[in-house]
Amino acid sequence: MKIKHILGSLLFTFSIQAQTNSTKVPFENYNLRWINGQNRQQDFPLQLKDKNGETIVTGVVYLDGYFNYNFNRPKDNTQTISAVTGRANEFSIALASIGLETNYKNAIGRLWLQTGSMLHIIQETDGSVARGRNTGTGNLKFIREAAAGYHFDVNYGLNVEMGIFMSYIGLESYITQENWSYQRSMVCDFTPFYFQGARVQYFPTKNYRTELWLLNGWQSYNSWSKSPGIGSSNYYRPNENIQLVANFYLGRDSRNPDGSLSDVVRFHHDNSIVYRYYHPENKKHGITQAAFSLNNHYGIQNGSGVSGKSNFMTGSSLAHRIWWNDNHLALTTRADYVTNPGSYLAFTPAQSNSTMPNGYELAMANGEKLRMFQTSATLDWMPSDVVTFRLEYNYRQSNVPYFAGRGGTTSPTGFTTDPITADWKADLRKQEHRVILAMNFRL
């Protein structure tokens, strides 16, 4: 879940620097709104200011809706293997969110509330909340982000925060408006969308940001083990046309079948480059910008009963985007590939009590590597900074039956209230074609 991470926090940090009248501002005068995973807004109209003109609090409203047409036409209208489109062949709200952000007098505060179909795909699958009592996703899944902290005027900035954050792993964001494509790449969809913990952001120079994280776990509200996970994120921007990123994670994030704490250790690394190679100044007609992004991932698990040879994930996503008509229109093409033996990061293709088709069961029993390929083409119309209309074609293929077919993946009738008979199997296919029409609004 993948950016599924908060590149938008950079804009928040810039605001902190400016409003504390610091003479050292990281990434000063850089236009970063073109970057894959970054908010393109220039103005934030929902601001409350004090008598000196300093912003006290900024309000934000976000709405994301879509119609996802799956040519396999699953009878239960359930879209599988996607963290953004949970339904097929019907109109859906992926995410509706409102929030408040402040950095008044060096104090940092953020509260984002959320609802929508993405919560059922991402937050409600968090198994860590079953460990102990006084916990559960019921009260936490409606919080997209909640954090408190303080900004220190050290070098180009030092921020200390604690709370629930958007994930730093991966290139693409949890907020689809910030991404070049609507359906995220698989390397981002299979990795975290949120963390609960604490972080320190440090800007030693104008062009470099580094972060240290202490986390409850891998996309988990609670901890799976006696020790926290640790993470690191590093951004380098030598100029406004290039971004280099390297992220790391290390933690214990599983349990043994008897309920005891597992000694399985998970390591994950991703790196990315985003490069704008064409950007003539003051050009408003014809092609106005062109850029590409490359995001690579590698992860592994090792411990009792788990071998890194059969529990690893590797994959890449390459996207290219051109803008024209004064950046109001854009076309993105993307291809990505994932290998995930053991499927320890992949989505389950049907509900847990379903019987899988023979091709899937045999492949998994033999330890066959799950390999997936995805390609997409996305046309964006952006009449203003606050609204985006999208038309996207998406094709996916796997080496084993993995995508929902005509018979669906819920039950013989397609309803969760009806029993699953002994002779029924989830209908899974090796290929999937989709067309997505989406609209999002952000103020």
Side-chain angles (χ1 to χ4, degrees), residues 222-238:
N222 295 350
S223 175
W224 289 98
S225 64
K226 297 179 180 179
S227 58
I230 57 175
S232 173
S233 179
N234 301 273
Y235 280 75
Y236 177 58
R237 292 189 174 112

Side-chain angles (χ1 to χ4, degrees), residues 210-226:
T210 185
E211 299 183 4
L212 177 64
W213 291 70
L214 291 177
L215 316 161
N216 283 347
W218 178 271
Q219 189 160 289
S220 65
Y221 290 119
N222 295 350
S223 175
W224 289 98
S225 64
K226 297 179 180 179

Side-chain angles (χ1 to χ4, degrees), residues 41 43-48 58-59 386 443:
Q41 278 183 279
D43 301 315
F44 298 84
L46 303 180
Q47 291 186 335
L48 175 65
T58 299
V386 301
L443 187 62

Side-chain angles (χ1 to χ4, degrees), residues 232-285:
S232 173
S233 179
N234 301 273
Y235 280 75
Y236 177 58
R237 292 189 174 112
N239 56 63
E240 72 175 18
N241 292 316
I242 188 168
Q243 171 182 277
L244 304 174
V245 181
N247 300 315
F248 303 88
Y249 173 86
L250 181 68
R252 289 185 169 91
D253 300 284
S254 60
R255 56 173 289 187
N256 294 320
D258 62 1
S260 61
L261 298 181
S262 174
D263 66 348
V264 174
V265 176
R266 174 177 297 169
F267 169 80
H268 196 90
H269 163 66
D270 82 273
N271 59 77
S272 62
I273 176 173
V274 189
Y275 178 51
R276 183 171 59 177
Y277 63 88
Y278 181 76
H279 183 227
E281 293 185 6
N282 302 319
K283 185 177 182 181
K284 295 186 177 181
H285 303 287

Side-chain angles (χ1 to χ4, degrees), residues 118-181:
M118 283 204 298
L119 278 64
H120 295 273
I121 306 171
I122 300 171
Q123 277 82 358
E124 290 190 0
T125 60
D126 184 354
S128 71
V129 297
R131 186 169 179 237
R133 297 179 296 157
N134 306 326
T135 181
T137 60
N139 60 332
L140 292 173
K141 66 182 179 181
F142 298 111
I143 299 175
R144 200 189 94 199
E145 208 175 353
Y150 194 79
H151 169 77
F152 298 90
D153 294 321
V154 177
N155 297 125
Y156 282 81
L158 176 68
N159 302 324
V160 180
E161 300 177 74
M162 180 181 294
I164 298 174
F165 303 92
M166 295 292 95
S167 168
Y168 64 89
I169 292 179
L171 174 66
E172 294 172 302
S173 173
Y174 181 76
I175 305 300
T176 60
Q177 177 261 5
E178 300 178 352
N179 300 329
W180 290 355
S181 304

Side-chain angles (χ1 to χ4, degrees), residues 355-410:
T355 302
M356 302 300 184
N358 292 333
Y360 178 86
E361 289 184 328
L362 181 62
M364 294 300 102
N366 292 338
E368 186 172 342
K369 297 178 180 178
L370 173 63
R371 297 187 296 272
M372 294 176 56
F373 170 78
Q374 176 178 241
T375 185
S376 63
T378 308
L379 178 64
D380 286 349
W381 176 41
M382 301 163 286
S384 71
D385 282 350
V386 301
V387 66
T388 303
F389 297 89
R390 280 191 155 155
L391 178 64
E392 180 168 296
Y393 169 74
N394 182 272
Y395 169 74
R396 300 193 288 188
Q397 178 181 312
S398 67
N399 62 315
V400 298
Y402 197 56
F403 306 105
R406 186 69 55 88
T409 57
T410 302

